[in-house]
Amino acid sequence: MSTSNPLANYSTELHDDQADKVDKYLHNLQLSDKTLMDVSLRFRREMDKGLCRDTNPTAAVKMLPTFVRSTPDGTEQGQFLALDLGGSNFRVLLVKVMGNGEQKVEMESQIYDIPEHIMRGSGSEFFDHIAACLANYLDKMGMKDKKLPLGFTFSFPCQQTKLDEAVLMSWTKGFRSSGVEGQDVVSLLRKSIKKRGDFDIDIVSVVNDTVGTMMTCGFDDRHCEVGLIVGTGTNACYMEQMRNIGVLDGDEGRMCVNTEWGAFGDDGALEDLRTDIDRELDAGSFNPGKQLKLFGYHVYKRKRNNRRQKPWGLNQMCVFSRFSRRLNKMVRRLVPDCDVRFLQSQDGSGKGAAMVTAVAFRLANQNADRQHILDTLRLSREQLLEVKRRFSEEMTRGLSKQTHKQASIKMLPTYVRSTPDGSEHGDFLALDLGGSSFRVLLVRVRSGTKRSVDMQQKIYSIPQEIMQGTGEELFNHIVDCIADFLEYMGMKGASLPLGFTFSFPCDQTKLDEGILLKWTKGFKASGCEGKDVVALLKEAVRSRGEFDLNFVAVVNDTVGTMMTCGYEDPKCEVGLIVGTGTNACYMEEMHNIELVEDDNGRMCVNVEWGAFGENGELEEFCTEFDRLVDACSNYPGKQRYEKMISGMYLGEIVRNVLLDFTAKGLLFRGKVSERLKTRGIFETKFLSQIESDRLAMRQVRSILQHLGLTGSTCDDSVLVKEVCSVVARRAAQLSGAGLAAVVDKIRQNRNLNQLSITVGVDGTLYKTHPHFSAIMQETLRDLAPQCEVTFLKSEDGSGKGAALITAVACRVKNEGQQ
């Protein structure tokens, strides 16, 4: 017969009762996935609030900019000092960083105490103590005479306005030194060092330990873009897109944001999750109601306080190990779409401060090297004025019979004597040839109250082998296409006046005659240069024998642009093209055009300004990149101005700059793709796309990936955008300088103090680049302040313009016969 032990039973019952109470108590500390997801959403809302300029002041999570703009790329190297301050003792470290293949960091350090009376004394005593310890360390290392860069890990909430400036918002971790809150801690440290006078250092950066952790791990793994601390305190930082940081100006690239997430819940956002123990710990803390104690030191303090209620039997190593495993598992559950790896930091606060400083030094040195190169592509106001002056001189030389042949700007008479007056009427054919495709158009011009221009057209391509074959093949192909168009329009037997837009440099002696001076834009058809292109076309029509054409005018697209806009605005007396190529024309006084025997009235002059510089006028403004582009072009030494401005060449200039940057290790981590080595791969349209204010950096990266640069970073995207901006800005400024010379000449011709004139403009670069037109107009206003210039975009200047020139010629002829 068995008997039970009453004492044992009582003990078991007591133990079970205590266990139930402990389980009930611990149940309040358990959070479901649903609750955690809700906390995550609340936190995200606070992050957004902290990033926004308007809501940041009331946000609990402050999302502080750190001015750390890049993570390590492995090329950092040099010797750096680090000062690691975040607790009751601090360290001074000498950190040697070896990059470029070695990727190694060596450190020596010494720990110094901060006595409690200094932690809670005056700020000056506090920083004098830090300076004294720095002096001691430098003396011990025999480096007091060296001025080394120093990174300052200051692990307290700070508001930064620069990388080397941090205003302490509030002390934490038991510190209470007076006169420091609201002050720049770097300035206070510098003041204490200067007061000593026995050593000097260059304080480059101030960071907190969280940023240091991210940078330390980033040196080992360049995918590391988040820093996390869970220890005595807790915090996180990460690389944020600049466009999302509303508290700062600028939207390019990224910056590390210090979330200061320990303050999450200070506004009551976590009140429903807090337990009585949380409230008890908060009430007994240094700063009740702040930094709500759900993490870090207070977690372990809670465990120690509860050790009598439940035996933990675990050492701290096991606790951390279990914490990290649970953290990993929880992150995977809450964000299954993110592949997150955790990398334990080795000395994030000390080594990390040195890494921030090393990165800052690398960026500063690389930026200086890049700016030195880009400065060769930047033009000062004095240089632009000199370009304008030389351009004006060449215009005068081109108009003069004596110097015309030697002038780089040929100032060709077009025999267009009038702009439209609105009375033009009739049906006209237009032929538009200026690139690898051309158009045939039927243009109906109506006058009177229902004044209008209606067009029907068909586009035909010109194969490469015909562009670079014989002239006979080229013009036979054009006539074949005209025949197809007439049949398509049901006009096979019609004989209409025809205007021929021929967008290549021509010497004209009549309106319906144009002697080709030289091919441009990739054309090389033989037997054409020095010949009348109208005669060549007429011969091709005669050989076919199917139809006849009434050739009235041969013009280039620039004159067509002026005439098209002149139909809309009688004040339009200048035409400008900035597209694949570039050129200008304007109405010149006949008495200045010495190549034509007539002094009455005006005539449109085709400037052919793309050739400016062929006599060396632009040599001092050309860079090594311009010379490379010129040397690899179809006509080296020709069209120098055009090669610095037009869409055919800007992409090549950018590509050569990027190759140079990469070869010097200033871009793409020094690794160039084979595709980027390919001529013509960087299309000018990419400049317009990359410089678009609406284009996010990830879209810029997709363009770079198209170029084979799959490993490009956000920093690379920012730099590529800067290169595009500098190259396009110079092109726009050079266009503005040339245009300033043109409109100022018109003003002087007419003896006006102030000129009001309209410029008709066309071309994809002008129309599609987001900043080109504004920069060009700004330059024009600056260089020709006595000219009030209105810009009117042309709609189909080459086709419609040719028809309008033909219509004006027919009108003038009819007026002469009456």
Side-chain angles (χ1 to χ4, degrees):
M1 181 176 171
S2 63
T3 59
S4 59
N5 184 333
L7 188 60
N9 289 341
Y10 173 76
S11 176
T12 301
E13 288 170 9
L14 182 62
H15 186 272
D16 290 344
D17 184 54
Q18 287 178 329
D20 288 342
K21 288 179 179 178
V22 168
D23 289 342
K24 186 177 179 181
Y25 168 74
L26 291 177
H27 179 73
N28 294 328
L29 298 174
Q30 294 174 356
L31 301 175
S32 67
D33 282 5
K34 183 180 178 182
T35 301
L36 289 169
M37 187 62 76
D38 180 58
V39 171
S40 178
L41 290 172
R42 293 185 213 178
F43 189 81
R44 176 60 193 271
R45 283 195 294 270
E46 276 300 309
M47 289 173 70
D48 291 340
K49 194 175 173 183
L51 286 170
C52 177
R53 187 188 298 267
D54 295 335
T55 54
N56 175 270
T58 59
V61 179
K62 287 300 181 186
M63 306 295 286
L64 305 174
T66 66
F67 295 85
V68 172
R69 299 295 300 266
S70 176
T71 52
D73 72 354
T75 63
E76 292 80 12
Q77 53 189 342
Q79 276 192 322
F80 307 92
L81 283 172
L83 177 58
D84 174 18
L85 175 60
S88 57
N89 53 46
F90 73 98
R91 291 181 305 155
V92 183
L93 304 93
L94 177 64
V95 183
K96 186 176 182 182
V97 181
M98 290 159 280
N100 290 326
E102 287 188 75
Q103 200 112 349
K104 194 167 68 172
V105 176
E106 294 177 353
M107 297 188 295
E108 294 181 67
S109 66
Q110 185 164 330
I111 297 174
Y112 294 90
D113 289 328
I114 304 178
E116 191 161 336
H117 73 275
I118 288 180
M119 286 174 64
R120 301 189 182 193
S122 70
S124 59
E125 290 175 328
F126 178 81
F127 284 102
D128 285 351
H129 176 70
I130 303 296
C133 296
L134 267 171
N136 174 269
Y137 183 78
L138 290 171
D139 194 38
K140 174 187 165 187
M141 300 298 293
M143 304 179 74
K144 246 185 172 181
D145 58 335
K146 290 186 178 180
K147 187 178 181 179
L148 292 176
L150 179 139
F152 185 11
T153 301
F154 191 73
S155 303
F156 303 91
C158 286
Q159 182 78 52
Q160 285 191 254
T161 52
K162 292 188 289 185
L163 186 60
D164 63 347
E165 183 176 287
V167 175
L168 177 65
M169 296 169 67
S170 61
W171 282 118
T172 57
K173 306 175 188 178
F175 280 73
R176 286 186 179 176
S177 296
S178 61
V180 181
E181 291 182 349
Q183 300 295 313
D184 171 25
V185 295
V186 175
S187 295
L188 295 174
L189 179 57
R190 283 179 176 146
K191 186 177 178 181
S192 290
I193 291 170
K194 188 176 181 181
K195 187 162 59 174
R196 288 186 60 88
D198 58 343
F199 72 96
D200 195 11
I201 53 175
D202 182 12
I203 304 176
V204 173
S205 63
V206 56
V207 296
N208 69 10
D209 51 355
T210 321
V211 180
T213 293
M214 180 188 76
M215 297 296 275
T216 299
C217 295
F219 188 69
D220 299 319
D221 179 350
R222 68 186 186 92
H223 292 107
C224 182
E225 298 183 0
V226 181
L228 172 65
I229 296 281
V230 185
T232 307
T234 183
N235 194 16
C237 69
Y238 71 102
M239 296 300 291
E240 176 61 270
Q241 299 294 329
M242 279 294 293
R243 67 178 181 274
N244 294 332
I245 308 176
V247 294
L248 294 180
D249 294 326
D251 59 359
E252 293 179 1
R254 299 181 303 165
M255 181 182 288
C256 180
V257 166
N258 167 22
T259 64
E260 284 298 339
W261 78 1
F264 178 47
D266 284 5
D267 58 355
L270 296 175
E271 194 57 36
D272 57 324
L273 302 178
R274 297 173 73 206
T275 66
D276 291 340
I277 282 289
D278 294 313
R279 295 185 182 92
E280 184 184 326
L281 283 169
D282 180 39
S285 67
F286 286 120
N287 50 356
K290 304 293 182 185
Q291 306 283 121
L292 295 185
K293 292 75 185 175
L294 296 174
F295 296 109
Y297 163 73
H298 297 282
V299 172
Y300 299 110
K301 182 178 178 184
R302 180 189 301 162
K303 288 175 179 174
R304 289 198 301 272
N305 289 346
N306 292 334
R307 64 184 180 274
R308 291 178 184 170
Q309 295 179 349
K310 183 169 182 176
W312 287 90
L314 300 171
N315 63 34
Q316 202 173 50
M317 182 84 67
C318 295
V319 171
F320 278 114
S321 177
R322 184 179 297 175
F323 184 94
S324 63
R325 285 199 303 272
R326 287 179 175 173
L327 176 64
N328 274 283
K329 188 187 281 187
M330 187 54 62
V331 169
R332 283 197 297 271
R333 288 222 307 266
L334 294 181
V335 280
D337 295 337
C338 298
D339 181 15
V340 181
R341 290 196 309 116
F342 288 84
L343 183 63
Q344 282 195 11
S345 167
Q346 303 300 320
D347 194 14
S349 51
K351 179 180 171 183
M355 288 313 308
V356 172
T357 306
V359 168
F361 250 64
R362 170 184 54 88
L363 291 177
N365 290 335
Q366 288 180 338
N367 187 56
D369 291 343
R370 281 190 292 264
Q371 296 310 315
H372 178 71
I373 294 167
L374 291 178
D375 280 346
T376 64
L377 288 155
R378 293 185 174 108
L379 297 173
S380 66
R381 185 173 187 272
E382 289 69 28
Q383 288 175 309
L384 290 168
L385 281 168
E386 180 62 18
V387 170
K388 178 193 172 187
R389 187 190 68 76
R390 295 181 189 186
F391 196 99
S392 298
E393 280 184 1
E394 281 301 301
M395 288 174 71
T396 303
R397 280 161 52 83
L399 288 168
S400 167
K401 186 181 287 187
Q402 188 176 354
T403 54
H404 173 79
K405 284 187 178 179
Q406 293 79 42
S408 61
I409 300 177
K410 290 303 180 186
M411 305 293 286
L412 305 172
T414 67
Y415 294 86
V416 172
R417 300 291 301 265
S418 175
T419 53
D421 68 0
S423 66
E424 293 78 15
H425 190 91
D427 293 351
F428 307 90
L429 279 177
L431 181 63
D432 172 20
L433 174 64
S436 57
S437 64
F438 76 102
R439 297 178 301 154
V440 186
L441 306 94
L442 173 63
V443 183
R444 291 189 164 96
V445 182
R446 300 292 176 259
S447 58
T449 54
K450 294 185 178 180
R451 198 174 70 137
S452 65
V453 178
D454 295 321
M455 297 186 296
Q456 290 175 281
Q457 65 174 354
K458 202 169 179 184
I459 299 172
Y460 300 89
S461 63
I462 304 177
Q464 186 78 10
E465 60 269 20
I466 290 179
M467 287 173 65
Q468 303 193 356
T470 67
E472 185 179 356
E473 289 170 335
L474 174 64
F475 284 98
N476 283 342
H477 177 70
I478 291 170
V479 169
D480 289 343
C481 297
I482 295 172
D484 175 80
F485 180 78
L486 291 173
E487 188 171 342
Y488 171 75
M489 296 298 296
M491 300 172 62
K492 205 166 183 182
S495 180
L496 296 176
L498 181 140
F500 185 12
T501 299
F502 190 72
S503 304
F504 302 91
C506 285
D507 189 6
Q508 287 187 260
T509 54
K510 294 186 292 184
L511 184 60
D512 62 350
E513 180 183 281
I515 309 298
L516 176 64
L517 296 176
K518 60 184 175 184
W519 284 118
T520 57
K521 306 176 188 177
F523 277 75
K524 278 189 174 181
S526 62
C528 297
E529 291 182 353
K531 302 284 182 66
D532 173 16
V533 293
V534 176
L536 293 173
L537 188 56
K538 280 180 177 176
E539 175 59 27
V541 170
R542 189 195 62 75
S543 296
R544 188 176 177 92
E546 289 183 10
F547 57 87
D548 197 13
L549 294 173
N550 176 20
F551 291 90
V552 173
V554 57
V555 297
N556 72 10
D557 53 353
T558 319
V559 182
T561 293
M562 181 188 76
M563 296 297 275
T564 301
C565 294
Y567 189 73
E568 306 295 331
D569 181 352
K571 287 170 65 178
C572 181
E573 298 183 72
V574 180
L576 172 67
I577 298 282
V578 189
T580 306
T582 184
N583 193 17
C585 68
Y586 71 102
M587 297 301 291
E588 177 60 270
E589 306 302 316
M590 282 296 297
H591 62 81
N592 289 333
I593 307 173
E594 295 182 9
L595 299 177
V596 179
E597 299 295 329
D598 190 343
D599 284 350
N600 299 316
R602 294 172 185 157
M603 181 183 287
C604 180
V605 166
N606 169 19
V607 179
E608 282 299 337
W609 79 3
F612 178 52
E614 289 183 10
N615 291 338
E617 302 95 336
L618 293 171
E619 193 56 36
E620 69 190 81
F621 309 114
C622 284
T623 67
E624 59 180 296
F625 311 111
D626 297 304
R627 295 183 185 99
L628 270 171
V629 169
D630 178 50
C632 296
S633 67
N634 286 335
Y635 297 95
K638 304 295 182 184
Q639 301 293 109
R640 297 304 299 272
Y641 191 55
E642 182 171 80
K643 288 170 184 174
M644 298 171 80
I645 291 173
S646 75
M648 178 171 273
Y649 302 102
L650 294 191
E652 269 299 280
I653 296 172
V654 169
R655 187 182 70 85
N656 280 291
V657 175
L658 298 184
L659 285 173
D660 187 57
F661 275 11
T662 308
K664 291 172 178 171
L666 304 175
L667 189 65
F668 305 135
R669 295 166 63 86
K671 297 172 185 173
V672 66
S673 76
E674 288 303 313
R675 277 176 66 80
L676 192 60
K677 292 179 183 177
T678 307
R679 276 186 59 207
I681 194 70
F682 200 102
E683 300 172 50
T684 297
K685 69 177 183 181
F686 293 153
L687 270 79
S688 299
Q689 292 170 1
I690 286 171
E691 279 211 74
S692 171
D693 295 328
R694 297 185 301 273
L695 198 69
M697 280 300 138
R698 65 177 178 275
Q699 292 166 295
V700 177
R701 287 177 72 178
S702 72
I703 292 172
L704 298 180
Q705 285 164 3
H706 166 75
L707 298 172
L709 298 159
T710 52
S712 63
T713 65
C714 184
D715 293 338
D716 290 330
S717 299
V718 173
L719 296 173
V720 170
K721 187 171 183 178
E722 183 180 15
V723 173
C724 291
S725 174
V726 169
V727 171
R729 181 176 186 82
R730 185 188 67 159
Q733 288 177 320
L734 285 170
S735 298
L739 198 55
V742 169
V743 295
D744 243 355
K745 186 170 195 322
I746 295 172
R747 182 185 65 79
Q748 290 162 9
N749 285 344
R750 299 175 189 181
N751 296 314
L752 296 172
N753 185 49
Q754 195 76 22
L755 172 72
S756 179
I757 196 166
T758 297
V759 174
V761 60
D762 204 350
T764 51
L765 185 59
Y766 181 90
K767 287 182 173 180
T768 63
H769 191 281
H771 308 300
F772 190 98
S773 59
I775 295 168
M776 188 188 80
Q777 291 172 32
E778 174 192 331
T779 305
L780 175 61
R781 283 193 299 271
D782 185 40
L783 302 186
Q786 292 172 272
C787 300
E788 184 185 326
V789 182
T790 302
F791 286 83
L792 183 60
K793 286 183 184 178
S794 166
E795 297 302 327
D796 196 15
S798 49
K800 181 178 172 182
L804 283 169
I805 290 169
T806 305
V808 168
C810 290
R811 185 203 83 206
V812 171
K813 183 179 179 183
N814 291 336
E815 288 171 351
Q817 292 173 348
Q818 291 174 359

